[in-house]
């Protein structure tokens, strides 16, 4: 097989038409398929959308189960978050809870109503069909839904607080929740089951109060629906950093801690590449291999096993591994694996990953790209393994010379908070906490692996960023 013809799949799971043909199952998928979790969290590129696509197929294959997918577009969410009335008087969690309830309930009724077309219907099924017909199969989009409720409330009060203790009753009456809920419950008692999959919520999220209330309202709505005679099972997909921020802003965090965290083992990550390799072999009329990985990759690179070397250069996310594989194969001209070509692909990948990291945290830490640019250009040929005093000197230099007029950065600079700055770098995965163990052993902890309270006595720049920020390859003077 010509290696440069390998199709590793689209970066977006939604656009990857072959995803289900090489989907790698996991314990996480099994728990979600058994309806044991309703919140899925993972970092960008960890496979949330791939899980959603597989779950859609799974639930759609169940008898009398109706699946709705709610994936608001970027412009839709930005329109909501930029609305002046929402930002100043109505954009509270309880308001969004009821708009989400209306959205999910109406979508479910539209789905079952549309599928009943051409059949004799009565009772709640007839109601669902009338809803589907009146809304032309699909319910109002998210903006229309919110605008409708908001306009009705504005006729009664200038802000949500004016309703006082009757605010929940006003919201239920305005959104029509009681009627929608009644018919969904009746359909459930008749044997129908509903699943709502909600994704892409981070596309327009900006860490504002309104944006966080929007998502907290969704979590509240999901929690409410779970107690509604199990009529609707919701699965919400959130970025892990966004989820952490939300928990810090609600008094009901205990309700939302039973989550499915996406974590990948090295064996699973290698399997993702292997499944794609065999897919390409089938496409080209070649037989599958029991161990296809080494038909494309060399067994070793330098002194490291290639599977270890590859995974070490990711933050244990499929998208990163696939991107590194793509950089490796796209310019290779032979059918034979090449350790030299794999080495040459690392700088391009490392720069891509650094840019990707800055984009991922652009809302929490705006201006992070300026920090990384300075690190990259001013700390040329520094060691990737740093003692605390060395790291402290570099952080102080960043604080003195980088112009980032953002609250998070200014606060750290004003307090000369070295530990706080290192904590940010640790949180995003740029550095790890190197800890000496007994008997001469040691380990580097990274935030995406497991819970760990960093000491920062010594740190290491993560392998996937070392080429991008021009570190030296070996620990020296130790």
């Amino acid at each position: 097989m010509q290696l440069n013809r390998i199709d590793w799949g689209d970066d977006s799971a939604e656009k990857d038409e072959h995803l289900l043909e090489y989907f790698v199952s996991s314990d996480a998928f099994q728990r979600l398929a058994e309806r044991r979790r309703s919140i899925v969290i993972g970092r960008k590129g960890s496979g949330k959308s791939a899980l959603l696509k597989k779950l859609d197929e799974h639930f759609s294959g169940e008898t009398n189960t109706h699946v709705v997918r709610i994936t608001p577009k970027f412009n839709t969410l930005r329109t909501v978050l930029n609305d002046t009335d929402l930002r100043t008087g109505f954009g509270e969690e309880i308001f969004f809870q009821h708009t989400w309830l209306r959205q999910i309930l109406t979508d479910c009724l539209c789905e079952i109503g549309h599928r009943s077309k051409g059949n004799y219907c009565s009772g709640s099924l007839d109601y669902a069909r009338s809803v589907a017909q009146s809304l032309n199969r699909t319910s109002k989009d998210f903006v229309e839904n919110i605008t409708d409720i908001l306009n009705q409330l504005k006729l009664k009060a200038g802000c949500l607080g004016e309703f006082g203790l009757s605010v929940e009753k006003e919201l239920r009456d305005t959104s029509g929740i009681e009627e929608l809920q009644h018919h969904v419950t009746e359909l459930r008692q008749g044997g129908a089951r509903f699943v709502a999959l909600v994704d892409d919520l981070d596309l327009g999220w900006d860490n504002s109060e309104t944006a966080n209330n929007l998502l907290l309202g969704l979590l509240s709505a999901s929690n409410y629906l779970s107690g509604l005679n199990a009529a609707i099972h919701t699965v919400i997909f959130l970025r892990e950093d966004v989820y952490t921020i939300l928990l810090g802003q609600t008094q009901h965090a205990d309700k939302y801690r039973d989550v499915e965290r996406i974590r990948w083992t090295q064996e699973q990550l290698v399997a993702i590449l292997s499944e794609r390799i065999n897919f390409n072999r089938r496409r080209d009329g070649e037989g599958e291999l029991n161990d296809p990985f080494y038909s494309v990759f060399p067994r070793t690179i330098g002194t490291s096993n290639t599977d270890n070397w590859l995974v070490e250069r990711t933050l244990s996310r499929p998208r990163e591994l696939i991107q590194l594989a793509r950089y490796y194969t796209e310019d290779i001209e032979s059918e034979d694996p090449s350790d030299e070509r794999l080495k040459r692909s690392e700088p391009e990948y490392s720069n891509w990953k650094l840019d990707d990291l800055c984009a991922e945290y652009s809302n929490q830490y705006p201006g992070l790209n300026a920090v990384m640019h300075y690190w990259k250009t001013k700390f040329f040929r520094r060691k990737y393994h740093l003692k605390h005093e060395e790291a402290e000197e570099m952080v102080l230099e960043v604080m003195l010379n980088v112009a980032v007029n953002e609250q998070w950065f200014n606060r750290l600079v004003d307090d000369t908070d070295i530990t706080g700055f290192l904590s940010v770098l640790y949180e995003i995965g740029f550095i790890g906490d190197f800890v000496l163990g007994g008997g001469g052993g040691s380990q580097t902890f990274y935030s995406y692996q497991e819970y760990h309270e960093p000491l920062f006595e010594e740190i290491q720049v993560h392998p996937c960023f070392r080429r991008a920020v021009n570190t030296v390859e070996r620990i020296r003077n130790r």
Side-chain angles (χ1 to χ4, degrees):
M1 180 173 62
Q2 192 70 31
L3 298 190
N4 62 12
R5 291 192 65 249
I6 294 178
D7 179 6
W8 294 104
D10 197 288
D11 281 347
S12 170
E14 290 297 314
K15 298 178 182 177
D16 192 341
E17 59 180 322
H18 302 297
L19 175 71
L20 298 181
E21 297 182 59
Y22 38 68
F23 179 84
V24 174
S25 191
S26 62
D27 291 340
F29 169 74
Q30 293 302 322
R31 284 188 289 268
L32 291 164
E34 294 167 4
R35 294 175 168 82
R36 292 161 57 188
R37 299 284 192 275
S38 59
I39 303 174
V40 182
I41 62 173
R43 293 185 66 168
K44 179 183 176 184
S46 61
K48 298 186 297 299
S49 294
L51 260 178
L52 180 145
K53 198 169 186 177
K54 184 64 176 178
L55 287 169
D56 190 351
E57 178 194 57
H58 170 81
F59 289 126
S60 296
E62 292 183 344
T63 302
N64 208 16
T65 296
H66 307 272
V67 181
V68 297
R69 291 175 60 170
I70 303 175
T71 53
K73 295 180 174 59
F74 172 83
N75 288 336
T76 297
L77 290 176
R78 293 311 308 158
T79 298
V80 171
L81 298 179
N82 289 332
D83 186 279
T84 302
D85 290 317
L86 288 176
R87 294 203 314 268
T88 58
F90 291 89
E92 299 181 18
E93 178 184 337
I94 192 170
F95 171 83
F96 288 119
Q97 177 190 0
H98 286 80
T99 58
W100 280 113
L101 285 171
R102 179 177 176 178
Q103 188 79 46
I104 294 169
L105 289 165
T106 307
D107 280 359
C108 288
L109 289 170
C110 282
E111 176 65 20
I112 192 173
H114 176 73
R115 288 172 61 173
S116 69
K117 185 172 60 177
N119 300 323
Y120 172 76
C121 300
S122 62
S124 291
L125 187 56
D126 183 55
Y127 175 86
R129 188 164 68 175
S130 69
V131 170
Q133 289 174 336
S134 67
L135 295 174
N136 193 24
R137 180 183 175 182
T138 57
S139 69
K140 296 179 180 180
D141 73 19
F142 197 57
V143 173
E144 291 176 310
N145 182 28
I146 287 178
T147 301
D148 185 23
I149 297 174
L150 178 61
N151 287 339
Q152 292 184 59
L153 290 174
K154 284 166 57 179
L155 293 174
K156 301 178 182 180
C159 68
L160 211 58
E162 291 182 17
F163 291 112
L165 296 177
S166 66
V167 61
E168 184 166 3
K169 180 181 183 304
E170 288 289 345
L171 283 167
R172 292 186 71 83
D173 291 345
T174 303
S175 58
I177 296 299
E178 298 291 350
E179 183 178 11
L180 298 171
Q181 178 180 312
H182 166 75
H183 289 291
V184 167
T185 302
E186 287 290 308
L187 290 165
R188 175 69 186 101
Q189 291 174 351
R193 305 178 80 186
F194 300 94
V195 176
L197 305 174
V198 190
D199 192 22
D200 287 345
L201 299 171
D202 59 302
L203 292 180
W205 177 82
D206 59 5
N207 199 20
S208 65
E209 182 179 4
T210 304
N212 292 332
N213 283 337
L214 174 71
L215 298 185
L216 286 170
L218 173 60
L219 295 180
S220 297
S222 174
N223 188 61
Y224 175 84
L225 290 171
S226 68
L228 195 63
N229 299 321
I232 301 175
H233 176 66
T234 59
V235 185
I236 300 167
F237 295 80
L238 286 172
R239 266 184 19 205
E240 190 163 353
D241 54 312
V242 176
Y243 167 80
T244 301
I245 289 172
L246 294 178
L247 285 198
Q249 298 187 5
T250 178
Q251 298 176 346
H252 310 293
D254 56 304
K255 296 180 180 179
Y256 311 129
R257 294 194 182 278
D258 188 19
V259 301
E260 186 63 55
R261 282 181 167 84
I262 300 179
R263 295 289 187 267
W264 295 91
T265 65
Q266 179 166 312
E267 291 74 18
Q268 289 173 322
L269 290 169
V270 171
I272 287 172
L273 297 181
S274 296
E275 289 293 331
R276 282 166 165 76
I277 294 168
N278 269 337
F279 168 81
N280 280 268
R281 292 182 65 86
R282 293 194 301 269
R283 179 202 63 188
D284 293 347
E286 302 181 29
E288 293 189 5
L289 299 174
N290 291 329
D291 189 7
F293 179 80
Y294 291 114
S295 70
V296 173
F297 296 92
R299 290 194 172 271
T300 59
I301 178 167
T303 60
S304 301
N305 291 332
T306 299
D307 53 354
N308 294 334
W309 187 90
L310 284 170
V311 173
E312 283 175 356
R313 278 152 183 79
T314 73
L315 303 182
S316 293
R317 310 183 212 177
R319 185 181 298 172
E320 300 161 347
L321 191 64
I322 293 168
Q323 185 71 352
L324 180 51
R326 183 178 289 114
Y327 281 129
Y328 161 59
T329 59
E330 63 185 5
D331 292 328
I332 199 168
E333 296 297 335
S334 71
E335 297 183 4
D336 300 318
S338 169
D339 60 341
E340 183 60 33
R341 174 57 195 144
L342 187 53
K343 287 179 184 177
R344 292 205 311 269
S345 68
E346 186 182 3
E348 187 176 10
Y349 163 78
S350 186
N351 279 289
W352 167 83
K353 185 58 216 164
L354 187 62
D355 290 341
D356 184 63
L357 183 77
C358 293
E360 180 179 359
Y361 286 93
S362 60
N363 287 315
Q364 297 94 313
Y365 304 113
L368 181 62
N369 57 334
V371 173
M372 290 303 168
H373 177 73
Y374 187 90
W375 197 292
K376 182 176 183 176
T377 56
K378 300 300 182 180
F379 300 142
F380 186 81
R381 302 295 294 170
R382 297 289 182 96
K383 296 180 295 182
Y384 68 74
H385 185 109
L386 302 164
K387 293 185 177 181
H388 181 80
E389 54 270 23
E390 295 171 312
E392 180 177 18
E393 179 183 341
M394 294 168 70
V395 169
L396 284 171
E397 188 175 334
V398 169
M399 289 180 169
L400 287 171
N401 295 292
V402 177
V404 175
N405 189 23
E406 299 289 347
Q407 184 177 0
W408 72 274
F409 189 82
N410 291 336
R411 183 176 63 251
L412 294 172
V413 172
D414 291 344
D415 297 339
T416 319
D417 188 355
I418 304 298
T419 299
F421 197 98
L422 292 174
S423 295
V424 170
L425 299 183
Y426 176 79
E427 175 195 335
I428 66 178
F430 181 72
I431 63 171
D433 186 44
F434 180 84
V435 179
L436 288 171
S442 62
Q443 183 175 357
T444 303
F445 293 90
Y446 293 99
S447 61
Y448 59 86
Q449 294 174 323
E450 58 186 87
Y451 177 76
H452 169 74
E453 195 68 39
L455 301 174
F456 301 133
E457 293 176 353
E458 299 183 54
I459 66 168
Q460 286 194 1
V461 175
H462 192 282
C464 75
F465 303 113
R466 290 175 189 171
R467 296 301 296 273
V469 296
N470 301 305
T471 65
V472 293
E473 295 185 1
R474 292 181 178 84
I475 302 173
R476 298 176 182 176
N477 301 322
R478 284 186 53 83

